[in-house]
Amino acid sequence: MPELPEVQTVVDTLRPAAVGRAVARVDVHRPDVVVPASADLAAGTVGRTITGLDRRGKRIVFTLDDASRFYVHLGMTGRLTLDRPGDPLARHTHVVWHLVGEPRQVRFRDPRRFGGVWWLGADGSPEGTMGPEPLGLAAAELGRRLAGTTRAVKVALLDQAVVAGLGNIYVDESLHAAGIHPTTRASALSADQVAGLNRAVQRVLRRALRHGGSTLRDYRDANGDAGAFQKLHAVYDRAGQACRRCRTPVERIVLGGRSTHFCPRCQPAAAAPVSRP
DNA sequence: GTCCATGTTCTTTA
DNA sequence: CTAAAGAACATGGA
């Protein structure tokens, strides 16, 4: 479910209820969603106060008053929601945090379990090999990162080590907004194309943030509300439908194993695209 | 039954 | 050796 706009919206809707609250109790219904397996999430969080809630890439980072941290990744179908104790516990709810002085509890639910909870302690970092945040990124830096790979620009932008936070929806939407064909080799982009792409990424992400992200199926913010940006998608999940800019039918191909949507008129094929089957 | 899905990581291939 | 391509993970909906 989650790319940068969705994850940021979860953080924004969860923060007022969570930050400043002490953790009264943690129910771990499914211990194997906690990484590493040796971590004791309950022991590390009960009695601590949540002092920070932030997003880094697609990771939701909780900071506690003893400087220990953990992050939640929503994977494909994960949700972090605020629910009343009386609300029925949905299937695949793996962890519940009870807070002091906040009637709602924080529930982590993830049917496919591609997501999870990563315990960092006081010394660990949520960074990993993640690249920079796309909002505020300089075009020259994006250009340096794309120049280093011959992969299709679509595939390169999905790589969290290149830029953090983009996923299948926003890569397709950004490439459309920039007028760049998804099979174009990343290293073959001109400086002008990179600059345009950088602007397009930021414009698309900011618009999506204003609309609370995209809800295709699973995504909800912490209050359980769906996003609205899916109604404004130009190409994503719109194969065969009219491009919102030029009315040409949107095409769908597979790149990097992922559905890829583009407008053949707005995004003309490059002279030497990455070959595809 | 089939195919597909907002993601990441491991394995295989070139 | 490295980079790229493909498979795998687990569940549910169309």
Side-chain angles (χ1 to χ4, degrees):
Chain A
M1 75 192 258
E3 302 181 32
L4 186 152
E6 291 77 33
V7 176
Q8 184 65 55
T9 302
V10 170
V11 166
D12 291 344
T13 49
L14 188 57
R15 185 182 280 129
V19 171
R21 300 288 177 190
V23 179
R25 190 177 113 205
V26 180
D27 304 326
V28 181
H29 297 290
R30 200 121 186 172
D32 60 346
V33 303
V34 180
V35 182
S38 60
D40 189 334
L41 184 66
T45 51
V46 170
R48 304 260 64 99
T49 294
I50 299 168
T51 56
L53 186 65
D54 302 280
R55 179 192 60 76
R56 174 67 176 105
K58 299 174 186 173
R59 300 174 177 181
I60 299 168
V61 184
F62 290 74
T63 304
L64 306 175
D65 59 0
D66 65 350
S68 58
R69 292 186 288 181
F70 65 92
Y71 71 84
V72 172
H73 194 297
L74 299 173
M76 203 85 102
T77 56
R79 290 187 192 181
L80 262 188
T81 54
L82 291 158
D83 297 283
R84 308 255 161 201
D87 295 339
L89 200 66
R91 206 171 162 222
H92 305 297
T93 300
H94 306 312
V95 182
V96 179
W97 289 267
H98 304 253
L99 305 174
V100 176
E102 164 58 59
R104 294 164 297 176
Q105 46 193 223
V106 179
R107 296 180 179 178
F108 172 58
R109 172 172 187 256
D110 183 16
R112 285 171 78 177
R113 270 180 285 131
F114 288 176
V117 183
W118 278 257
W119 177 255
L120 299 169
D123 303 319
S125 161
E127 286 297 307
T129 58
M130 244 189 298
E133 290 290 322
L135 292 172
L137 181 66
E141 176 62 16
L142 179 63
R144 274 193 291 278
R145 295 180 160 269
L146 291 174
T149 178
T150 60
R151 288 176 292 178
V153 60
K154 156 79 188 234
V155 176
L157 289 174
L158 284 175
D159 184 346
Q160 302 300 295
V162 173
V163 185
L166 298 179
N168 215 28
I169 296 174
Y170 298 106
V171 169
D172 281 4
E173 291 297 313
S174 297
L175 288 172
H176 176 266
I180 296 172
H181 195 284
T183 63
T184 311
R185 286 181 186 276
S187 56
L189 293 170
S190 69
D192 280 356
Q193 283 180 305
V194 170
L197 175 59
N198 197 47
R199 283 193 299 271
V201 165
Q202 298 188 8
R203 194 184 327 131
V204 167
L205 291 177
R206 292 212 170 89
R207 268 188 87 208
L209 281 164
R210 279 204 300 279
H211 293 275
S214 305
T215 295
L216 302 179
R217 176 180 287 160
D218 297 297
Y219 167 68
R220 292 289 188 281
D221 68 17
N223 296 317
D225 294 329
F229 192 65
Q230 68 282 355
K231 298 171 193 162
L232 301 175
H233 289 174
V235 289
Y236 187 84
D237 204 24
R238 299 190 67 244
Q241 300 177 54
C243 166
R244 284 210 203 282
R245 186 198 289 162
C246 76
R247 316 313 296 171
T248 300
V250 171
E251 289 187 19
R252 175 189 178 278
I253 59 175
V254 174
L255 271 184
R258 312 296 300 280
S259 269
T260 299
H261 314 79
F262 68 99
C263 169
R265 182 163 165 197
C266 296
Q267 298 165 265
V274 172
S275 64
R276 57 181 172 83

